[in-house]
Amino acid sequence: MRYQRQTVLKEFGVAAQEKLSKAKVLVIGVGGLGIPVLQYLNAMGVGTLGMVEADTIDVTNLQRQVLYAENEVGAPKLATALGKLQAQNSTTIFKPFHTFLTRENALDIIAEFDLVVDASDNFATRYLINDACVLLKKTFVSGAIQGFEGQLSVFNYNGGPTYRCLFPTMPADSEIPNCNDNGVLGVIPGIIGNLQALETVKVITGIGEVLSGRLLLFNGLHQSYQNIKFKLVTANLERTSLEESYGSSPCSIGPSIAIQDFQKALVNKDNFQLLDVRTVLEYQEYHLPNSTHIPLADLGFHQAKIKKDSLVYVICQSGKRSRIAQQLLLEDKISVINIDGGINAYKGLLTAK
Amino acid sequence: MTVLLFGVTKDIIGKNTLMLSDIVKDKLKTVQDLKMYLTQEYPNLENLSSLAIAVNNEYADDSLLLKQTDEIALIPPVSGG
């Protein structure tokens, strides 16, 4: 009865609903893309939904991550989303994973599911998802956004092309901007995420034509959609293991400190230098006391400001740029400790109390 | 020959669409020629590890021969979510 408005469709019917109820879908990332994917798959009756996320809600997430509310800023995304999705559909089985996807956990987590939705926000995770899905022979529905644009495709579907057939080499973080650092219009992930939910339902039920071997390019400013055809590069299916490393993924390179431990060091007035690598605007808006400000772009010119004989922590808004700074400094033999989650996590800690 | 720009290529080239002049078009026989011309004019394009090129809405290899009427698209990956 609950699903009558879709089972009445002759192309869909009771048989497709039955397939949805038996499906196990893993959504990686519960942010701008993951939220609409989860809300619609949950509403439509997908039986089991896995969710991978370790971030907390930041006030700057609210313009696009429409499941979260003002009074939840600082709370973990995973638990917050879970509560709301359970209220939305009590028959769904949820499998929450409070972690980021890493080289170490990816295969174990993905193996439990029939199908993966890539709703992540960084290249390291995107390439990791591709490689893990190729190894495990899982289809994944990929969406990505930037500014006013979006990209959508279904990869590794019935022996079809993969992400690496389009983009063979993983870009460095510094090459291509991400939403946290360079902006996205709030509604764009809603559009692309909803299209991901649609493709997921089509893969599960077999209705329509799956967007495999085609890349949809969406431009919100021109309201234009372009479909680019591309082919399988067979070598991309012949993978036998994951890569040794996925660059600046959350699991890699250089020491880091959890926000709780950093806060203790702050309270104890431990002897350290705090390096803030955010932009001038971000720094003016909010910063921690006694921090040394060098925007990431200027890091090369102002290294002299870094105290070489001191313990140095590096911070940014979300923990990504600080990781890049950490790597750049390491190339110049300067060792610093990355603060996981950055200012967002610190503010979260303050609000949580 | 029109070159549609997506993602960061818009910022690098500073336009939404690039129209190539007849003189330039005559010199570009293949996708490889086009790539070399674009990276000469806009050196920052060379920093992109992965940049897909589509000709008439189809992913194109370097050896593909270009025609005057082709519509080309420069497609870098985007990572936001």
Side-chain angles (χ1 to χ4, degrees):
Chain A
M1 191 63 189
R2 173 170 187 150
Y3 304 109
Q4 190 263 347
R5 287 295 187 275
Q6 61 200 34
T7 52
V8 74
L9 296 166
K10 69 176 173 16
E11 300 86 347
F12 193 84
V14 178
Q17 192 63 47
E18 187 67 19
K19 287 179 187 167
L20 283 191
S21 74
K22 289 185 176 144
K24 297 177 183 170
V25 178
L26 178 68
V27 180
I28 299 171
V30 188
L33 293 170
I35 285 169
V37 170
L38 284 162
Q39 286 184 296
Y40 272 100
L41 294 184
N42 192 38
M44 292 176 74
V46 170
T48 302
L49 286 172
M51 304 149 71
V52 180
E53 181 62 81
D55 209 356
T56 52
I57 301 164
D58 181 68
V59 69
T60 61
N61 296 150
L62 300 182
Q63 53 78 273
R64 64 189 189 284
Q65 303 184 15
V66 295
L67 191 60
Y68 305 133
E70 287 171 9
N71 63 358
E72 291 158 345
V73 167
K77 288 183 179 178
L78 191 73
T80 307
L82 182 64
K84 296 187 185 192
L85 292 166
Q86 280 168 332
Q88 185 192 17
N89 193 339
S90 59
T91 58
T92 307
I93 298 165
F94 291 98
K95 298 199 169 167
F97 297 88
H98 195 263
T99 173
F100 291 116
L101 198 75
T102 67
R103 189 186 179 282
E104 286 66 38
N105 66 23
L107 293 172
D108 285 344
I109 293 177
I110 292 173
E112 288 184 44
F113 295 86
D114 308 321
L115 178 66
V116 174
V117 178
D118 183 352
S120 68
D121 65 354
N122 62 85
F123 285 121
T125 307
R126 290 181 180 279
Y127 280 80
L128 173 60
I129 290 171
N130 177 78
D131 296 353
C133 285
V134 167
L135 282 174
L136 296 167
K137 299 195 165 46
K138 309 278 185 189
T139 295
F140 67 107
V141 180
S142 171
I145 47 162
Q146 183 190 309
F148 304 97
E149 292 179 18
Q151 296 184 356
L152 178 81
S153 191
V154 179
F155 295 112
N156 206 34
Y157 174 73
N158 285 349
T162 71
Y163 188 50
R164 286 188 189 269
C165 299
L166 260 184
F167 305 118
T169 317
M170 187 170 104
D173 275 348
S174 52
E175 276 175 43
I176 297 189
N178 70 40
C179 305
N180 275 344
D181 299 337
N182 282 274
V184 59
L185 192 72
V187 68
I188 302 290
I191 293 164
I192 299 298
N194 276 305
L195 290 174
Q196 283 181 281
L198 173 59
E199 288 305 311
T200 304
V201 168
K202 284 159 63 185
V203 171
I204 295 167
T205 60
I207 63 165
E209 276 174 52
V210 171
L211 191 75
S212 166
R214 288 182 294 156
L215 174 72
L216 180 80
L217 296 169
F218 169 68
N219 182 317
L221 287 182
H222 304 145
Q223 200 60 278
S224 64
Y225 299 79
Q226 253 162 321
N227 249 297
I228 307 290
K229 282 189 206 160
F230 62 100
K231 293 196 178 81
L232 173 71
V233 178
T234 327
N236 287 330
L237 293 182
E238 289 159 8
R239 170 173 293 281
T240 55
S241 65
L242 295 175
E243 299 288 312
E244 284 299 311
S245 154
Y246 286 84
S248 55
S249 70
C251 53
S252 76
I253 325 182
S256 61
I257 183 169
I259 195 67
Q260 293 84 353
D261 295 329
F262 171 71
Q263 197 198 22
K264 278 181 206 152
L266 204 61
V267 172
N268 292 341
K269 296 200 164 60
D270 288 355
N271 191 19
F272 61 81
Q273 182 183 27
L274 177 62
L275 178 63
D276 189 325
V277 294
R278 294 175 304 150
T279 62
V280 173
L281 271 178
E282 286 171 309
Y283 189 79
Q284 280 171 352
E285 195 177 303
Y286 178 90
H287 62 260
L288 293 168
N290 301 323
S291 50
T292 308
H293 181 223
I294 311 178
L296 182 60
D298 303 332
L299 197 61
F301 307 108
H302 294 292
Q303 281 188 7
K305 289 187 188 172
I306 301 168
K307 295 178 190 164
K308 299 229 166 66
D309 49 356
S310 161
L311 178 67
V312 182
Y313 293 115
V314 60
I315 197 164
C316 70
Q317 196 67 34
S318 71
K320 282 182 193 142
R321 278 170 291 170
S322 55
R323 213 175 287 119
I324 297 169
Q326 183 183 35
Q327 284 171 24
L328 290 174
L329 289 170
L330 203 61
E331 285 169 18
D332 292 317
K333 310 254 186 286
I334 302 172
S335 181
V336 297
I337 296 166
N338 180 44
I339 299 174
D340 275 342
I343 298 281
N344 290 348
Y346 182 74
K347 283 189 181 168
L349 208 59
L350 297 184
T351 351
K353 289 197 169 162
Chain B
M1 202 181 281
T2 314
V3 184
L4 306 176
L5 306 174
F6 291 91
V8 73
T9 64
K10 274 192 179 128
D11 303 323
I12 292 174
I13 294 178
K15 295 177 185 157
N16 292 329
T17 315
L18 188 64
M19 301 296 285
L20 299 180
S21 72
D22 290 342
I23 308 158
V24 171
K25 279 190 288 192
D26 287 341
K27 286 191 210 151
L28 306 178
K29 305 292 181 209
T30 63
V31 168
Q32 176 72 36
D33 295 343
L34 174 73
K35 276 187 180 171
M36 281 171 62
Y37 167 77
L38 289 172
T39 46
Q40 264 165 23
E41 294 289 307
Y42 309 98
N44 284 340
L45 285 177
E46 210 156 17
N47 297 335
L48 302 175
S49 330
S50 274
L51 177 64
I53 295 196
V55 176
N56 301 327
N57 292 324
E58 196 148 351
Y59 185 94
D61 290 323
D62 286 356
S63 58
L64 187 84
L65 294 173
L66 293 173
K67 297 186 297 292
Q68 296 285 342
T69 50
D70 283 343
E71 184 187 76
I72 291 153
L74 301 191
I75 309 162
V78 296
S79 71

